Amino acid sequence: MITDKKLYPSYNNPFLIQTKRPLPDEMAVIGAGHIGPDIAYYLRTGLPEKKLYLVDVVEAPLKKAEARFKSYAEKGIKYKKMTPEQADAVLSNIVYTTDYSQIKNCGLVIEAATENLTLKKKIFAELEQIVGKDTILTSNTSGIPADQIFND
């Protein structure tokens, strides 16, 4: 067996890439509906020591997301994908909020709201007023071209 050959030579785990810019200590995901919680949970499993905000305009999806995270962690423990200590780390340091002002110190914000161009433009306009100029703002849209979201 050849051990020095990479199985997937074109694949890079983004959490293993060393950059000149440090990873932010605080991150946010906007939208607690369908995909937002999964993005947030992925961030938590890769960076459990960082603070994460999950933001939505309605409280109910935030409560569902919190229950979803607990379910994911319980499954992880059950199937021995993580220890109870790892699960505790993943589930801690998460702020579920409807208050956008709480994310003012985030260095990364991922928008995952409803697929509605007007709504997305409104969210980004608000984010630009709240976060710092060095914050990375991005969208997880599946059907709206980026130039329509980010260009006036």
Side-chain angles (χ1 to χ4, degrees), residues 59-111:
E59 190 73 33
L62 294 168
K63 297 281 187 203
K64 285 183 182 178
E66 186 173 11
R68 192 162 154 185
F69 288 178
K70 288 178 183 174
S71 171
Y72 287 166
E74 288 169 2
K75 285 179 187 174
I77 294 167
K78 178 181 176 181
Y79 294 111
K80 302 194 184 316
K81 302 289 183 188
M82 64 173 61
T83 65
E85 295 78 20
Q86 289 170 319
D88 287 345
V90 167
L91 295 174
S92 67
N93 215 10
I94 303 173
V95 177
Y96 303 89
T97 185
T98 58
D99 182 3
Y100 275 73
S101 70
Q102 289 191 10
I103 66 171
K104 67 182 179 210
N105 296 320
C106 288
L108 170 66
V109 179
I110 301 171
E111 175 275 322

Side-chain angles (χ1 to χ4, degrees), residues 2-151:
I2 301 170
T3 58
D4 61 343
K5 185 176 178 188
K6 292 182 180 179
L7 182 60
Y8 301 106
S10 64
Y11 172 77
N12 288 310
N13 182 333
F15 292 122
L16 300 178
I17 296 171
Q18 296 296 317
T19 64
K20 292 180 184 175
R21 182 178 180 165
L23 289 171
D25 290 325
E26 297 185 23
M27 296 170 272
V29 175
I30 309 297
H34 297 288
I35 194 68
D38 287 339
I39 295 167
Y41 190 79
Y42 178 77
L43 288 171
R44 292 302 302 149
T45 59
L47 303 165
E49 72 283 359
K50 306 295 185 177
K51 188 169 192 171
L52 177 78
Y53 295 84
L54 184 57
V55 184
D56 203 290
V57 293
V58 180
E59 190 73 33
L62 294 168
K63 297 281 187 203
K64 285 183 182 178
E66 186 173 11
R68 192 162 154 185
F69 288 178
K70 288 178 183 174
S71 171
Y72 287 166
E74 288 169 2
K75 285 179 187 174
I77 294 167
K78 178 181 176 181
Y79 294 111
K80 302 194 184 316
K81 302 289 183 188
M82 64 173 61
T83 65
E85 295 78 20
Q86 289 170 319
D88 287 345
V90 167
L91 295 174
S92 67
N93 215 10
I94 303 173
V95 177
Y96 303 89
T97 185
T98 58
D99 182 3
Y100 275 73
S101 70
Q102 289 191 10
I103 66 171
K104 67 182 179 210
N105 296 320
C106 288
L108 170 66
V109 179
I110 301 171
E111 175 275 322
T114 303
E115 292 294 290
N116 176 299
L117 181 60
T118 303
L119 174 62
K120 289 181 182 294
K121 285 183 172 260
K122 180 181 174 188
I123 289 169
F124 281 106
E126 187 169 350
L127 290 173
E128 288 175 349
Q129 299 301 311
I130 295 169
V131 298
K133 65 179 177 119
D134 292 333
T135 298
I136 297 169
L137 298 177
T138 189
S139 179
N140 186 63
T141 185
S142 61
I144 302 172
D147 66 333
Q148 289 183 17
I149 298 171
F150 298 111
N151 291 330

